[in-house]
Amino acid sequence: MLLRTLLYYYFLSTGIDEIFKTACFLGLKDCLDLASELYTKWMANTSTNEIPHSIKGSVYCYGIAEGGEKEWDFAWNYYNESDIEDHWELAFLNHGLSCTKEPWLLYRYLKDSMNSGSHNMLDVLLHMVKNDIGRHVAWDFLKENWHQINDINMKESNHFYEMLLPDLGSKATSELQFQEVRLKYLCVL
């Protein structure tokens, strides 16, 4: 009985997030407004984060996406200055930061992540390639900083590129982009 109850709540929680995420992805105004409202309330009072855990990742993502520099900076500062021990909270913030629609903020995120030892570069890039703007920024950044990123991730470089390059290649929007990814991938092997 306990297992059935746990599974019920797990699927309920997961289902709510998928519905919320899909509604926001499709641009449903009520969903985007709710994400912005919940995120703004959290910004006003960080001591009581009333965003339900089941939709927290989506709220962070769309709250930042619908906002601007202020919303992004808030998440970035919270991520870096707080003593967050909750793995999920860190993951939600990491993903949310990659959701901004501002290319210069995405570039800043990549640059700051590369220059600080506290961020996993692979996670940042993998989150970023999931959105249209982020994919282009991430690819340009990767090409510009190939050697430096290689040096940072030397121990895990094969794993790093095995995870990242297929994602980039599958989302290439031109033959030239696909060939560039292919050449980078062949260089790694």
Side-chain angles (χ1 to χ4, degrees):
M1 182 67 174
L2 177 61
L3 180 60
R4 182 180 294 168
T5 303
L6 289 173
L7 285 173
Y8 171 79
Y9 284 111
Y10 170 77
F11 287 117
L12 182 64
S13 173
T14 305
I16 288 171
D17 184 49
E18 285 302 315
I19 292 167
F20 189 82
K21 188 181 345 179
T22 302
C24 285
F25 174 78
L26 294 172
L28 186 65
K29 185 174 175 1
D30 289 342
C31 183
L32 297 172
D33 289 347
L34 179 59
S36 294
E37 178 186 334
L38 290 171
Y39 190 82
T40 302
K41 284 181 180 178
W42 177 52
M43 286 176 61
N45 185 3
T46 57
S47 63
T48 58
N49 187 342
E50 296 179 5
I51 301 169
H53 190 336
S54 60
I55 61 170
K56 192 178 277 191
S58 297
V59 168
Y60 287 2
C61 179
Y62 287 101
I64 291 170
E66 291 301 302
E69 183 178 9
K70 182 174 95 175
E71 288 76 10
W72 192 90
D73 277 339
F74 172 80
W76 177 250
N77 292 332
Y78 190 81
Y79 186 91
N80 287 299
E81 296 170 5
S82 297
D83 294 329
I84 304 169
E85 293 182 18
D86 181 1
H87 168 75
W88 288 108
E89 185 73 12
L90 289 170
F92 293 153
L93 285 164
N94 191 11
H95 172 65
L97 287 162
S98 70
C99 293
T100 182
K101 296 176 184 173
E102 300 293 337
W104 67 275
L105 286 173
L106 292 168
Y107 186 85
R108 183 175 136 197
Y109 186 28
L110 287 167
K111 194 74 171 165
D112 289 347
S113 295
M114 184 174 69
N115 292 333
S116 83
S118 65
H119 296 90
N120 183 330
M121 197 67 199
L122 178 59
D123 286 343
V124 172
L125 284 162
L126 285 172
H127 284 301
M128 203 166 287
V129 300
K130 292 178 184 171
N131 77 54
D132 291 336
I133 298 167
R135 181 175 54 254
H136 296 290
V137 173
W139 177 239
D140 288 343
F141 186 85
L142 189 62
K143 290 188 299 186
E144 289 170 18
N145 298 282
W146 185 262
H147 295 292
Q148 190 174 355
I149 292 170
N150 239 356
D151 291 344
I152 292 169
N153 294 288
M154 192 54 85
K155 292 178 190 166
E156 304 175 340
S157 63
N158 281 345
H159 174 68
F160 181 83
Y161 295 114
E162 285 172 2
M163 295 287 294
L164 183 62
L165 292 176
D167 251 6
L168 282 166
S170 70
K171 294 180 179 7
T173 56
S174 70
E175 182 63 26
L176 176 63
Q177 278 183 343
F178 179 75
Q179 291 304 328
E180 286 177 328
V181 173
R182 186 174 168 270
L183 283 172
K184 291 288 185 193
Y185 189 71
L186 291 173
C187 289
V188 171
L189 296 177

